[in-house]
Every structure is written in C-alpha cells, then in structure tokens.
Amino acid sequence: MVGQWRSTAAAWLVALAPQVFGCDPLDRTEHAARGKGVTVAYSWVSGPPAVGELATLRLRLCDISGAPAGGKLSVDAVMPAHGHGMNYTPPTVEVADEPVAVTGLLFHMPGRWQLRFKLRGDGVTRRAHADFLLAH
C-alpha cells in the first residue's frame, strides 16, 4: 500500500514539474540555474574557477518550454554575505540557439558566490541565478 502511494506521488510530481529538457544538465560538470521564464545550463570551461584567475562559462539558455532562448545575455556574480560583487564585469554576449561562452569572470576571494544571469530579448528581461562555493 505504501509503495503504491509513493509511486503515485512520484508520478504526480513528475507530471507537475516544469518541462525544461533542453537545458537540463547533461553530466556532472554541468549545472542549471532556473529563473522565471528561463533556464541556464552552464559549466566551467577549465574546471572550477580559482581565486584571482579569469574563468569562462559555457552556457545554453532555454525558455520555459525547453526551446533555445535568445537575446543579450549579461552575467555577473556577487557575494551576498559580503554585499559586493566582482571587481570586473564580463562583456554582454548575444545568444541565439547555440551554446555560448562568457569570458572574464574574476573572483577575488574564496567563499559563497552567486552567479546572476540576465537575458534581454523580445522586450522582456528574464533572470536566473545559482550559488556556488569558491574554494581557497
């Protein structure tokens, strides 16, 4: 009886979950940042970032249906506990239906950071964010 209830509950949760197949992480090195109307699948190009070294992100963006999302993308990072961000702002990139790279992320201290993604296109601004811990 309990097993049947669990399978029914699991089936309902799957049915109610947002369908974002196009930007679900592909493997252990890829992560997802979900926001209202956009999902960002991202991975660090040369492994996790290191303090004081430039880092590059490889990104895929999808709308709520899982289809590729396009527009002008800006990426920033902040340390919420410290109330500050990076000392350098990466350039904005144009996104179509192909993966893109964002270069120039420079994290000047270890700790908990939050990546912030802002996609502007078709007169709409969509945002997503993801937290990560930068080791010493």
Side-chain angles (χ1 to χ4, degrees):
M1 178 80 160
V2 172
Q4 182 181 9
W5 181 86
R6 284 185 183 154
S7 359
T8 303
W12 273 103
L13 288 174
V14 169
L16 296 174
Q19 303 300 310
V20 289
F21 301 112
C23 281
D24 283 344
L26 298 174
D27 59 36
R28 289 183 180 169
T29 65
E30 195 168 53
H31 312 281
R34 291 182 173 84
K36 189 172 183 179
V38 68
T39 298
V40 181
Y42 67 94
S43 60
W44 299 103
V45 171
S46 297
V51 174
E53 294 182 17
L54 284 173
T56 300
L57 283 174
R58 183 164 175 80
L59 309 155
R60 291 179 292 121
L61 287 90
C62 297
D63 64 20
I64 198 162
S65 73
K72 291 186 184 274
L73 174 70
S74 57
V75 178
D76 197 4
V78 298
M79 292 190 88
H82 292 250
H84 66 75
M86 296 183 297
N87 294 333
Y88 177 76
T89 303
T92 300
V93 296
E94 189 69 33
V95 179
D97 57 358
E98 295 290 324
V100 297
V102 174
T103 60
L105 290 111
L106 184 61
F107 304 99
H108 58 279
M109 62 187 298
R112 184 157 309 280
W113 286 84
Q114 182 178 80
L115 290 169
R116 294 183 175 176
F117 304 96
K118 181 167 60 172
L119 181 66
R120 286 171 285 178
D122 299 327
V124 178
T125 299
R126 298 177 183 104
R127 300 173 196 274
H129 68 272
D131 293 342
F132 76 97
L133 186 62
L134 182 63
H136 290 278

